[in-house]
């Protein structure tokens, strides 16, 4: 396919996403299934156009005075990808499958000299209704943080120290451009490629099949490190999902002690079994919610780790379509879910034990305000400083920019080069 046909396809997919409220990945997969002639390079280019258009939808729509799929797709190609008007015009003229040629108004708005006053939320590519939350979280850095969340995410990997060391993995992945991550001592990063760039399929690598590394964002790795799961401890991963953090905790424990993996949604838990086998994690007991309970664990855990359900605002780089589907109603529902999870999970912490609360959100309502709520409802718990743990475990790394008075931390793409992750810690009073 030529670029003109790819632009037309991206417009078609974006129209499908908007008109039928479908997830971007599903819409792209269905397009590919119904257009078998499109090669892997074509599908990559179309996917990149779609996701970049969604990442920057507000700023591009303001620039084009239209949020229609055509407008934001053409602007993505000319502005975000820096192809320029001439290349865009050629793509539209030289391919019979391309969209219609540029109008005079479109040309004017795509000109480098075009000047437009944008609102702060549009410049940040953050939904307007959510902007006060961003200002509350980031103050004068709100636009910078929003812009960072509108960029492409790297591929981050965690070295599985049960089977390999980082130098060994880096050597095997040298052909991918893999480098040492900026903060995590076990992290490896493959930087995002611009425009038509295709990221390597790391799951096809021999090292992945052998369990030498796992796909895991650096912020997620750091949350597991800061939990300080130790050899011989009793640990409950209460919202284990597919098991990424479970495996990181098992590696920290060096397969010693007992780690329980649980999730209320058994479908989310399903992939964990294959991952445990590949990683060589032997101290994990999976608790299926359909057939077992956690009653025997009440008051017994040294550590309860909660990767709480949330809006996912911290991972907008990876799921940009979710940014525009989020509503105040769904945010309120997540806040209620988090309080339910916190209360239930706290029952399993033993006196003197600790509980770690993590979200992939940057919103205060899901983070600092939830910590304040929980402490107010549970007088037998007190806050523990996460930044103190950071200074102890990562002494050579710069401190995170966003640290609360109680010592909770917020990691972000702009400040730490990671996904947006919040980490808080509680300790249950000893009798």
């Amino acid at each position: 396919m030529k670029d003109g046909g790819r632009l037309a396809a991206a417009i078609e997919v974006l129209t499908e996403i908007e008109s039928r409220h479908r997830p971007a990945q599903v819409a792209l997969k269905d397009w590919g299934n119904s257009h078998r002639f499109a090669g892997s390079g074509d599908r990559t280019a179309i996917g990149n156009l779609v996701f970049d258009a969604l990442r920057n939808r507000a700023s591009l729509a303001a620039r084009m005075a239209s949020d229609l799929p055509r407008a934001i797709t053409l602007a993505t190609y000319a502005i975000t990808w820096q192809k320029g008007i001439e290349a865009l015009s050629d793509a539209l003229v030289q391919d019979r499958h391309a969209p219609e040629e540029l109008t005079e108004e479109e040309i004017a708005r795509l000109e480098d000299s075009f000047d437009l006053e944008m609102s702060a939320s549009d410049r940040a590519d953050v939904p307007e209704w959510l902007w006060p939350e961003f200002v509350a979280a980031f103050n004068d850095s709100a636009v910078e943080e929003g812009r960072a969340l509108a960029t492409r995410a790297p591929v981050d990997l965690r070295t599985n120290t049960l089977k390999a060391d980082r130098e060994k993995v880096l050597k095997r992945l040298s052909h991918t451009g893999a480098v040492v991550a900026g903060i995590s001592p076990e992290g490896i990063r493959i930087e995002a490629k611009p425009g038509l760039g295709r990221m390597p399929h790391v799951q096809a690598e021999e090292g992945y099949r052998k369990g030498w590394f796992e796909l895991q964002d650096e912020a997620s790795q750091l949350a597991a490190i800061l939990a300080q799961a130790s050899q011989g401890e009793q640990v409950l991963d209460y919202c284990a999902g597919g098991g990424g953090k479970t495996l990181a905790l098992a590696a920290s424990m060096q397969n010693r002690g007992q780690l329980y993996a649980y999730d209320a949604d058994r479908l989310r838990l399903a992939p964990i079994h294959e991952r445990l086998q590949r990683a060589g994690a032997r101290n994990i007991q999976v608790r299926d919610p359909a057939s077992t309970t956690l009653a025997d664990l009440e008051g017994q855990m040294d550590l309860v780790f909660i990767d709480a359900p949330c809006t996912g605002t911290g991972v907008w780089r990876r799921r940009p379509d979710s940014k525009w589907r989020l509503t105040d109603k769904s945010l309120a529902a997540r806040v209620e879910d988090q309080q339910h999870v916190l209360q239930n999970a706290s029952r399993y912490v033993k006196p003197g034990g600790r509980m770690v609360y993590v979200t992939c959100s940057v919103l205060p309502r899901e983070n600092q305000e939830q910590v304040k709520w929980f402490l107010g409802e549970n007088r037998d718990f007190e806050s523990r400083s996460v930044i103190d743990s950071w200074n102890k475990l990562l002494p050579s790394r710069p401190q995170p920019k966003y640290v609360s008075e109680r010592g909770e931390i917020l990691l972000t793409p702009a400040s730490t080069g990671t996904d947006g992750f919040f980490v808080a810690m509680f300790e249950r009073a000893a009798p």
Side-chain angles (χ1 to χ4, degrees), residues 279-354:
R282 299 186 302 273
N283 67 329
I284 299 174
Q285 184 181 127
V286 180
R287 291 291 181 96
D288 188 328
S291 57
T292 60
T293 71
L294 300 178
D296 59 313
L297 306 184
E298 289 193 19
Q300 302 299 312
M301 296 296 102
D302 296 290
L303 167 65
V304 174
F305 190 94
I306 306 170
D307 182 8
C310 68
T311 57
T313 52
V315 293
W316 277 350
R317 297 186 301 175
R318 304 178 193 278
R319 303 171 195 162
D321 51 329
S322 68
K323 178 181 348 187
W324 310 111
R325 292 200 306 268
L326 182 61
T327 65
D328 190 57
K329 182 178 180 181
S330 58
L331 171 56
R334 293 291 78 76
V335 168
E336 185 175 341
D337 290 341
Q338 290 154 8
Q339 293 178 354
H340 179 75
V341 165
L342 275 165
Q343 287 291 60
N344 281 348
S346 67
R347 303 203 311 263
Y348 304 103
V349 183
K350 74 178 187 181
R354 63 201 185 280

Coordinates of all heavy atoms in Angstrom, one line a residue, residues 279-354:
A279 N 8.8 -18.6 33.8 CA 9.7 -17.8 34.7 C 10.4 -18.6 35.7 O 11.4 -18.2 36.3 CB 8.9 -16.7 35.4
G280 N 10.0 -19.9 35.9 CA 10.6 -20.7 37.0 C 10.3 -20.2 38.4 O 11.1 -20.5 39.3
A281 N 9.1 -19.6 38.5 CA 8.7 -19.2 39.9 C 8.0 -20.3 40.6 O 6.9 -20.8 40.1 CB 7.8 -18.0 39.7
R282 N 8.5 -20.8 41.7 CA 8.0 -22.0 42.3 C 7.4 -21.7 43.7 O 6.9 -22.7 44.3 CB 9.2 -23.0 42.5 CG 9.8 -23.4 41.2 CD 10.9 -24.5 41.5 NE 11.9 -24.1 42.4 CZ 13.0 -23.4 42.0 NH1 13.2 -23.2 40.7 NH2 13.9 -23.1 42.9
N283 N 7.4 -20.5 44.1 CA 6.8 -20.2 45.5 C 5.4 -19.6 45.4 O 5.0 -18.9 46.3 CB 7.8 -19.4 46.3 CG 7.9 -18.0 45.7 OD1 7.8 -17.8 44.5 ND2 8.1 -17.0 46.6
I284 N 4.8 -19.7 44.2 CA 3.5 -19.0 44.0 C 2.3 -20.0 44.0 O 2.4 -21.0 43.3 CB 3.5 -18.2 42.7 CG1 4.6 -17.2 42.7 CG2 2.1 -17.6 42.4 CD1 4.8 -16.5 41.4
Q285 N 1.4 -19.7 44.8 CA 0.1 -20.5 44.9 C -1.0 -19.6 44.3 O -1.3 -18.6 44.9 CB -0.2 -20.9 46.3 CG -1.4 -21.8 46.4 CD -1.7 -22.1 47.9 OE1 -2.9 -22.0 48.4 NE2 -0.7 -22.6 48.6
V286 N -1.6 -20.0 43.2 CA -2.7 -19.3 42.6 C -4.0 -19.6 43.2 O -4.3 -20.8 43.3 CB -2.7 -19.5 41.1 CG1 -3.8 -18.7 40.4 CG2 -1.4 -19.2 40.4
R287 N -4.7 -18.7 43.7 CA -6.0 -18.9 44.3 C -7.1 -18.5 43.3 O -7.3 -17.3 43.1 CB -6.1 -18.1 45.6 CG -5.2 -18.5 46.7 CD -5.7 -19.9 47.3 NE -4.9 -20.4 48.4 CZ -5.2 -20.2 49.7 NH1 -6.3 -19.5 50.0 NH2 -4.4 -20.7 50.6
D288 N -7.8 -19.4 42.7 CA -8.8 -19.2 41.8 C -10.1 -18.8 42.6 O -10.6 -19.5 43.4 CB -9.1 -20.5 41.0 CG -10.1 -20.3 39.8 OD1 -11.0 -19.4 40.0 OD2 -10.0 -21.0 38.8
P289 N -10.7 -17.6 42.3 CA -11.8 -17.1 43.0 C -13.1 -18.0 42.9 O -14.0 -18.0 43.7 CB -12.1 -15.7 42.5 CG -11.5 -15.8 41.1 CD -10.3 -16.7 41.2
A290 N -13.1 -18.8 41.8 CA -14.2 -19.7 41.6 C -14.2 -21.0 42.4 O -15.3 -21.6 42.6 CB -14.3 -20.1 40.1
S291 N -13.1 -21.3 42.9 CA -13.0 -22.6 43.6 C -12.3 -22.5 45.0 O -12.4 -23.5 45.8 CB -12.1 -23.6 42.8 OG -10.9 -23.1 42.5
T292 N -11.7 -21.4 45.4 CA -11.1 -21.2 46.7 C -11.4 -19.9 47.3 O -11.9 -19.0 46.6 CB -9.6 -21.3 46.6 OG1 -9.1 -20.3 45.7 CG2 -9.1 -22.7 46.0
T293 N -11.2 -19.8 48.6 CA -11.3 -18.5 49.3 C -10.0 -18.1 49.9 O -9.0 -18.9 49.8 CB -12.4 -18.6 50.4 OG1 -11.8 -19.4 51.5 CG2 -13.6 -19.3 50.0
L294 N -10.0 -17.0 50.5 CA -8.7 -16.5 51.2 C -8.9 -16.5 52.7 O -8.1 -15.9 53.4 CB -8.4 -15.1 50.7 CG -8.1 -14.9 49.2 CD1 -7.8 -13.4 48.8 CD2 -6.9 -15.8 48.7
A295 N -9.9 -17.2 53.1 CA -10.3 -17.1 54.6 C -9.1 -17.5 55.4 O -8.9 -17.0 56.5 CB -11.5 -18.0 54.9
D296 N -8.3 -18.5 55.0 CA -7.2 -19.0 55.8 C -6.0 -18.0 55.9 O -5.1 -18.2 56.7 CB -6.7 -20.3 55.3 CG -6.3 -20.2 53.8 OD1 -7.0 -19.6 53.0 OD2 -5.2 -20.8 53.5
L297 N -6.1 -17.0 55.1 CA -5.0 -16.0 55.0 C -5.2 -14.8 55.9 O -4.3 -13.9 56.0 CB -4.7 -15.6 53.6 CG -4.4 -16.7 52.6 CD1 -4.1 -16.1 51.2 CD2 -3.3 -17.6 53.0
E298 N -6.4 -14.6 56.4 CA -6.8 -13.4 57.2 C -5.8 -13.2 58.4 O -5.6 -14.1 59.2 CB -8.2 -13.5 57.7 CG -9.2 -13.4 56.5 CD -10.6 -13.1 57.0 OE1 -10.8 -12.7 58.2 OE2 -11.6 -13.3 56.2
G299 N -5.3 -12.0 58.4 CA -4.4 -11.7 59.5 C -3.0 -12.4 59.5 O -2.3 -12.4 60.5
Q300 N -2.7 -13.0 58.4 CA -1.4 -13.8 58.3 C -0.3 -13.2 57.4 O 0.8 -13.7 57.5 CB -1.8 -15.2 57.8 CG -2.8 -15.9 58.6 CD -2.4 -16.2 60.0 OE1 -1.3 -16.6 60.2 NE2 -3.2 -15.8 61.0
M301 N -0.6 -12.2 56.6 CA 0.3 -11.8 55.6 C 1.3 -10.7 56.1 O 0.9 -9.8 56.7 CB -0.4 -11.2 54.4 CG -1.3 -12.2 53.7 SD -0.4 -13.6 52.9 CE -0.7 -14.9 54.1
D302 N 2.6 -11.0 55.8 CA 3.6 -9.9 56.0 C 3.4 -8.8 55.1 O 3.7 -7.6 55.4 CB 5.0 -10.5 55.8 CG 5.3 -11.6 56.8 OD1 5.5 -11.3 58.0 OD2 5.4 -12.8 56.4
L303 N 3.0 -9.1 53.8 CA 2.8 -8.1 52.8 C 1.6 -8.4 52.0 O 1.4 -9.5 51.5 CB 4.0 -8.0 51.9 CG 3.9 -7.2 50.6 CD1 3.7 -5.7 50.9 CD2 5.1 -7.4 49.7
V304 N 0.7 -7.4 51.8 CA -0.4 -7.5 50.9 C -0.1 -6.4 49.8 O 0.0 -5.2 50.1 CB -1.8 -7.3 51.5 CG1 -2.9 -7.2 50.5 CG2 -2.0 -8.4 52.5
F305 N 0.0 -6.8 48.6 CA 0.2 -5.9 47.4 C -1.0 -5.8 46.6 O -1.7 -6.7 46.2 CB 1.3 -6.5 46.6 CG 1.9 -5.6 45.5 CD1 3.0 -4.8 45.7 CD2 1.2 -5.5 44.3 CE1 3.5 -4.0 44.8 CE2 1.7 -4.6 43.3 CZ 2.9 -3.9 43.6
I306 N -1.4 -4.5 46.4 CA -2.7 -4.2 45.7 C -2.4 -3.3 44.5 O -2.0 -2.2 44.6 CB -3.7 -3.4 46.6 CG1 -3.9 -4.1 47.9 CG2 -5.0 -3.1 45.9 CD1 -4.7 -3.2 48.9
D307 N -2.5 -3.9 43.3 CA -2.5 -3.2 42.1 C -3.9 -2.9 41.7 O -4.6 -3.7 41.0 CB -1.8 -4.0 41.0 CG -1.7 -3.3 39.7 OD1 -2.0 -2.1 39.6 OD2 -1.3 -3.9 38.6
A308 N -4.4 -1.8 42.2 CA -5.9 -1.5 42.3 C -6.5 -1.2 40.9 O -5.8 -0.7 40.0 CB -6.1 -0.4 43.2
P309 N -7.7 -1.6 40.7 CA -8.4 -1.2 39.5 C -8.5 0.3 39.4 O -8.7 1.0 40.5 CB -9.8 -1.8 39.6 CG -10.0 -2.0 41.1 CD -8.6 -2.3 41.6
C310 N -8.3 0.9 38.3 CA -8.2 2.4 38.2 C -8.6 2.8 36.8 O -8.8 2.0 35.9 CB -6.8 2.9 38.6 SG -5.5 2.5 37.4
T311 N -8.5 4.1 36.5 CA -8.9 4.7 35.2 C -7.8 4.5 34.2 O -8.1 4.6 33.0 CB -9.1 6.2 35.4 OG1 -8.0 6.8 35.9 CG2 -10.3 6.5 36.2
G312 N -6.6 4.2 34.6 CA -5.5 4.0 33.6 C -5.0 5.2 33.0 O -4.4 5.2 32.0
T313 N -5.2 6.4 33.7 CA -4.7 7.6 33.1 C -3.2 7.7 33.0 O -2.6 8.4 32.2 CB -5.2 8.8 34.0 OG1 -4.8 8.6 35.4 CG2 -6.7 9.0 33.9
G314 N -2.5 6.9 33.8 CA -1.1 6.8 33.7 C -0.5 6.0 32.6 O 0.7 6.1 32.3
V315 N -1.3 5.3 31.9 CA -0.9 4.5 30.7 C -1.6 4.9 29.5 O -1.7 4.2 28.5 CB -1.1 3.0 31.0 CG1 -0.2 2.5 32.1 CG2 -2.6 2.6 31.3
W316 N -1.9 6.2 29.4 CA -2.5 6.8 28.2 C -1.6 6.6 27.0 O -2.0 6.6 25.8 CB -2.8 8.2 28.4 CG -4.2 8.4 29.0 CD1 -5.1 7.5 29.3 CD2 -4.7 9.7 29.5 NE1 -6.2 8.1 29.9 CE2 -6.0 9.4 30.1 CE3 -4.2 11.0 29.6 CZ2 -6.7 10.4 30.7 CZ3 -4.9 12.0 30.2 CH2 -6.2 11.7 30.7
R317 N -0.3 6.6 27.2 CA 0.7 6.4 26.1 C 0.4 5.1 25.3 O 0.5 5.0 24.1 CB 2.1 6.4 26.5 CG 2.5 7.8 27.2 CD 4.0 7.7 27.5 NE 4.4 6.7 28.4 CZ 5.7 6.4 28.7 NH1 6.7 7.1 28.2 NH2 5.9 5.4 29.5
R318 N 0.0 4.1 26.1 CA -0.2 2.7 25.5 C -1.6 2.5 25.1 O -1.9 1.7 24.2 CB 0.2 1.7 26.6 CG 1.7 1.9 27.0 CD 2.0 0.9 28.1 NE 3.3 1.2 28.7 CZ 4.5 1.0 28.2 NH1 4.6 0.4 27.1 NH2 5.6 1.4 28.8
R319 N -2.6 3.2 25.8 CA -4.0 3.0 25.5 C -4.7 4.4 25.3 O -5.5 4.8 26.1 CB -4.7 2.3 26.6 CG -4.0 1.0 26.9 CD -4.6 0.4 28.2 NE -3.8 -0.7 28.7 CZ -3.9 -1.2 30.0 NH1 -4.7 -0.6 30.8 NH2 -3.1 -2.2 30.3
P320 N -4.3 5.1 24.2 CA -4.8 6.5 24.0 C -6.3 6.6 23.8 O -6.9 7.6 24.1 CB -4.0 7.0 22.8 CG -3.6 5.8 22.1 CD -3.3 4.7 23.1
D321 N -6.9 5.5 23.3 CA -8.3 5.6 23.1 C -9.1 5.6 24.4 O -10.2 6.2 24.5 CB -8.8 4.4 22.2 CG -8.4 3.1 22.7 OD1 -7.3 3.0 23.3 OD2 -9.1 2.1 22.5
S322 N -8.5 5.1 25.5 CA -9.2 5.1 26.8 C -9.3 6.5 27.3 O -10.2 6.8 28.1 CB -8.5 4.2 27.7 OG -7.2 4.7 28.1
K323 N -8.4 7.4 26.9 CA -8.4 8.8 27.3 C -9.7 9.4 27.0 O -10.3 10.2 27.8 CB -7.2 9.5 26.7 CG -7.1 10.9 27.0 CD -6.0 11.7 26.4 CE -4.9 11.0 25.7 NZ -3.8 12.0 25.3
W324 N -10.2 9.1 25.8 CA -11.4 9.8 25.3 C -12.7 9.1 25.7 O -13.8 9.6 25.5 CB -11.3 10.1 23.8 CG -10.0 10.7 23.5 CD1 -9.0 10.1 22.8 CD2 -9.5 12.0 23.8 NE1 -7.9 11.0 22.7 CE2 -8.2 12.1 23.3 CE3 -10.1 13.1 24.5 CZ2 -7.5 13.3 23.5 CZ3 -9.4 14.2 24.7 CH2 -8.1 14.3 24.2
R325 N -12.6 7.9 26.2 CA -13.8 7.1 26.7 C -14.1 7.4 28.2 O -15.1 7.1 28.6 CB -13.6 5.6 26.4 CG -13.6 5.2 25.0 CD -13.9 3.7 24.8 NE -13.0 2.9 25.7 CZ -11.9 2.4 25.2 NH1 -11.5 2.6 24.0 NH2 -11.1 1.6 26.0
L326 N -13.1 7.9 28.9 CA -13.2 8.1 30.3 C -14.3 9.1 30.6 O -14.3 10.2 30.0 CB -11.9 8.5 30.9 CG -11.8 8.7 32.4 CD1 -12.1 7.4 33.1 CD2 -10.4 9.2 32.8
T327 N -15.1 8.9 31.6 CA -16.1 9.8 32.0 C -16.1 10.0 33.6 O -15.4 9.2 34.3 CB -17.6 9.3 31.7 OG1 -17.8 8.1 32.5 CG2 -17.7 9.0 30.2
D328 N -16.7 11.0 34.0 CA -16.7 11.3 35.5 C -17.4 10.1 36.2 O -17.0 9.7 37.3 CB -17.4 12.6 35.8 CG -17.2 13.0 37.2 OD1 -16.1 13.1 37.7 OD2 -18.3 13.2 37.9
K329 N -18.4 9.5 35.5 CA -19.1 8.4 36.1 C -18.2 7.2 36.3 O -18.2 6.5 37.3 CB -20.3 8.1 35.3 CG -21.2 6.9 35.8 CD -22.4 6.7 34.9 CE -23.2 5.5 35.5 NZ -24.4 5.2 34.6
S330 N -17.4 6.9 35.3 CA -16.5 5.8 35.4 C -15.4 6.0 36.4 O -15.0 5.1 37.1 CB -15.9 5.4 34.0 OG -15.2 6.5 33.4
L331 N -15.0 7.3 36.5 CA -14.0 7.6 37.5 C -14.5 7.4 38.9 O -13.9 6.8 39.8 CB -13.5 9.1 37.3 CG -12.7 9.7 38.5 CD1 -11.4 8.9 38.7 CD2 -12.3 11.1 38.1
A332 N -15.8 7.8 39.1 CA -16.4 7.6 40.4 C -16.6 6.1 40.7 O -16.4 5.7 41.9 CB -17.8 8.3 40.4
A333 N -16.8 5.3 39.7 CA -17.0 3.9 39.9 C -15.6 3.2 40.3 O -15.6 2.4 41.2 CB -17.5 3.2 38.6
R334 N -14.5 3.7 39.7 CA -13.2 3.2 40.0 C -12.8 3.6 41.5 O -12.2 2.8 42.2 CB -12.2 3.7 39.1 CG -12.3 3.3 37.6 CD -11.9 1.8 37.5 NE -13.0 0.9 37.9 CZ -14.1 0.7 37.2 NH1 -14.3 1.3 36.0 NH2 -15.1 -0.1 37.6
V335 N -13.2 4.8 41.9 CA -12.9 5.2 43.3 C -13.7 4.3 44.2 O -13.1 3.9 45.2 CB -13.4 6.7 43.5 CG1 -13.4 7.1 44.9 CG2 -12.4 7.6 42.7
E336 N -14.9 4.0 43.9 CA -15.7 3.1 44.8 C -15.0 1.7 44.8 O -14.9 1.0 45.9 CB -17.1 3.0 44.3 CG -18.0 2.2 45.2 CD -19.5 2.2 44.7 OE1 -19.8 3.1 43.9 OE2 -20.2 1.3 45.1
D337 N -14.6 1.2 43.6 CA -13.9 -0.1 43.6 C -12.7 -0.1 44.4 O -12.4 -1.1 45.1 CB -13.5 -0.4 42.1 CG -14.7 -0.7 41.2 OD1 -15.8 -1.0 41.8 OD2 -14.6 -0.6 40.0
Q338 N -11.9 0.9 44.3 CA -10.6 1.0 45.1 C -10.9 0.9 46.6 O -10.1 0.3 47.3 CB -9.9 2.3 44.7 CG -9.3 2.2 43.3 CD -9.2 3.6 42.7 OE1 -9.3 4.6 43.4 NE2 -8.8 3.7 41.4
Q339 N -11.9 1.6 47.1 CA -12.2 1.6 48.5 C -12.6 0.2 48.9 O -12.2 -0.3 50.0 CB -13.3 2.7 48.8 CG -12.8 4.1 48.6 CD -13.8 5.1 48.8 OE1 -15.0 4.8 49.1 NE2 -13.4 6.4 48.8
H340 N -13.4 -0.4 48.1 CA -13.8 -1.8 48.4 C -12.6 -2.8 48.4 O -12.5 -3.6 49.4 CB -14.8 -2.3 47.3 CG -15.3 -3.7 47.4 ND1 -16.2 -4.0 48.4 CD2 -15.0 -4.8 46.8 CE1 -16.5 -5.3 48.3 NE2 -15.7 -5.8 47.3
V341 N -11.7 -2.6 47.5 CA -10.5 -3.5 47.4 C -9.6 -3.2 48.7 O -9.1 -4.1 49.3 CB -9.7 -3.2 46.1 CG1 -8.3 -3.8 46.2 CG2 -10.5 -3.8 44.9
L342 N -9.4 -1.9 49.0 CA -8.6 -1.6 50.1 C -9.1 -2.2 51.4 O -8.3 -2.8 52.2 CB -8.5 -0.1 50.3 CG -7.4 0.6 49.4 CD1 -7.6 2.1 49.4 CD2 -6.0 0.4 50.0
Q343 N -10.4 -2.1 51.6 CA -11.0 -2.6 52.9 C -10.9 -4.1 52.9 O -10.5 -4.7 53.9 CB -12.5 -2.2 53.0 CG -12.7 -0.7 53.3 CD -12.2 -0.4 54.7 OE1 -11.1 -0.5 55.1 NE2 -13.2 0.1 55.5
N344 N -11.2 -4.8 51.8 CA -11.1 -6.2 51.8 C -9.7 -6.7 52.0 O -9.4 -7.7 52.7 CB -11.7 -6.8 50.5 CG -13.2 -6.8 50.5 OD1 -13.8 -6.6 51.5 ND2 -13.8 -7.0 49.3
A345 N -8.7 -6.1 51.2 CA -7.4 -6.6 51.3 C -6.7 -6.4 52.6 O -5.9 -7.2 53.0 CB -6.5 -5.9 50.2
S346 N -7.1 -5.3 53.3 CA -6.5 -5.0 54.6 C -6.7 -6.1 55.6 O -6.0 -6.2 56.6 CB -7.0 -3.7 55.1 OG -8.4 -3.7 55.4
R347 N -7.8 -6.9 55.4 CA -8.1 -8.0 56.4 C -6.9 -9.0 56.5 O -6.8 -9.7 57.5 CB -9.4 -8.7 56.0 CG -10.6 -7.8 55.9 CD -11.9 -8.6 56.1 NE -11.9 -9.8 55.3 CZ -12.5 -9.9 54.1 NH1 -13.1 -8.8 53.6 NH2 -12.5 -11.0 53.4
Y348 N -6.1 -9.1 55.4 CA -5.1 -10.2 55.4 C -3.8 -9.8 55.9 O -2.9 -10.6 56.0 CB -5.0 -10.7 53.9 CG -6.3 -11.1 53.3 CD1 -7.1 -10.3 52.5 CD2 -6.9 -12.3 53.7 CE1 -8.3 -10.6 52.0 CE2 -8.2 -12.7 53.3 CZ -8.9 -11.8 52.4 OH -10.1 -12.2 51.9
V349 N -3.6 -8.5 56.3 CA -2.4 -8.0 56.8 C -2.3 -8.4 58.3 O -3.2 -8.1 59.1 CB -2.3 -6.5 56.6 CG1 -0.9 -6.0 57.1 CG2 -2.5 -6.0 55.2
K350 N -1.2 -9.0 58.7 CA -1.0 -9.3 60.1 C -0.5 -8.1 60.9 O 0.0 -7.1 60.3 CB 0.0 -10.5 60.2 CG 1.5 -10.0 60.0 CD 2.4 -11.2 60.2 CE 3.9 -10.8 60.2 NZ 4.8 -11.9 60.4
P351 N -0.7 -8.1 62.2 CA -0.2 -7.0 63.0 C 1.3 -6.9 62.7 O 2.1 -7.8 62.8 CB -0.5 -7.5 64.4 CG -1.7 -8.3 64.3 CD -1.5 -9.1 63.0
G352 N 1.7 -5.6 62.4 CA 3.1 -5.4 62.1 C 3.4 -5.6 60.6 O 4.5 -5.2 60.2
G353 N 2.5 -6.1 59.9 CA 2.6 -6.3 58.4 C 2.3 -5.0 57.7 O 1.9 -4.0 58.2
R354 N 2.6 -5.1 56.4 CA 2.4 -3.9 55.6 C 1.5 -4.1 54.4 O 1.4 -5.3 53.9 CB 3.8 -3.3 55.1 CG 4.6 -4.3 54.3 CD 6.1 -3.9 54.3 NE 6.8 -4.8 53.4 CZ 7.2 -6.0 53.7 NH1 6.9 -6.6 54.8 NH2 7.9 -6.8 52.8

